[in-house]
Amino acid sequence: MAERLPLEQSHSLDLQMHSPTAKEDMISYVMALEAALLPCLPARELQAIDRSPHPSHQIDVERHARDFMEAAKKLQLYLIGLQREVAPTKEENLRKEIAMMEEELRTKTELITKHEKLLQGWRKQVKDQLDKHNTELEKV
């Protein structure tokens, strides 16, 4: 699983993992994976069996590998199931998106108001400057 869970999801997954049944399920899947892996570990024996002409030895290696892969698939499916339970619904995603858009709208409205006030101040300065120049011209 190359995807990373967002912080909220991983936190709720942690909470879910601490419940007794989820923890027991996880432990049972990991133990099954470990049990399937253990017969595959003695590398020298496997190499010797691999070179062995006896077909029963070859079948043993294939059976151990198949058992390991089945246990790994069960663990993967279990973890994917947990991830789906934790994943936010479409409605929750839309609510979050709407809230983000509303916040962005508030921020932009504040910026517009700030810039309008700046423009009004500059217009006043330009008008005052223009009036000052006009009065100077009238004196001359």
Side-chain angles (χ1 to χ4, degrees):
M1 275 193 272
E3 304 166 11
R4 292 188 182 226
L5 293 176
L7 185 60
E8 295 168 2
Q9 286 184 350
S10 65
H11 179 65
S12 59
L13 183 61
D14 289 343
L15 292 176
Q16 218 175 21
M17 292 297 295
H18 292 299
S19 71
T21 57
K23 197 170 190 176
E24 290 169 5
D25 288 346
M26 177 66 77
I27 289 171
S28 70
Y29 285 120
V30 171
M31 288 178 73
L33 186 65
E34 183 180 7
L37 175 65
L38 287 177
C40 300
L41 287 180
R44 289 184 185 159
E45 290 176 29
L46 283 178
Q47 288 174 356
I49 289 172
D50 216 15
R51 292 188 213 117
S52 171
H54 298 290
S56 65
H57 288 189
Q58 196 66 29
I59 291 170
D60 266 357
V61 171
E62 290 173 6
R63 182 178 53 84
H64 290 313
R66 188 174 50 251
D67 290 346
F68 175 75
M69 290 306 294
E70 286 175 14
K73 284 179 186 176
K74 285 179 184 176
L75 180 60
Q76 181 183 24
L77 289 173
Y78 175 75
L79 292 173
I80 288 171
L82 281 180
Q83 184 179 12
R84 284 191 182 134
E85 289 175 12
V86 173
T89 63
K90 189 173 184 177
E91 185 178 304
E92 290 170 338
N93 286 338
L94 288 173
R95 281 191 179 129
K96 286 179 185 176
E97 193 174 329
I98 289 170
M100 286 175 20
M101 287 179 174
E102 287 173 344
E103 181 61 32
E104 182 181 357
L105 185 62
R106 274 193 293 280
T107 304
K108 289 183 178 181
T109 302
E110 289 172 4
L111 275 173
I112 289 171
T113 305
K114 176 184 167 188
H115 284 96
E116 283 176 345
K117 287 179 183 177
L118 283 173
L119 283 171
Q120 288 173 357
W122 293 334
R123 283 186 184 128
K124 186 178 182 307
Q125 287 177 355
V126 167
K127 185 179 182 256
D128 290 344
Q129 195 69 17
L130 184 62
D131 290 342
K132 188 177 178 182
H133 284 302
N134 284 339
T135 52
E136 295 254 338
L137 283 174
E138 287 175 4
K139 288 180 184 177
V140 177

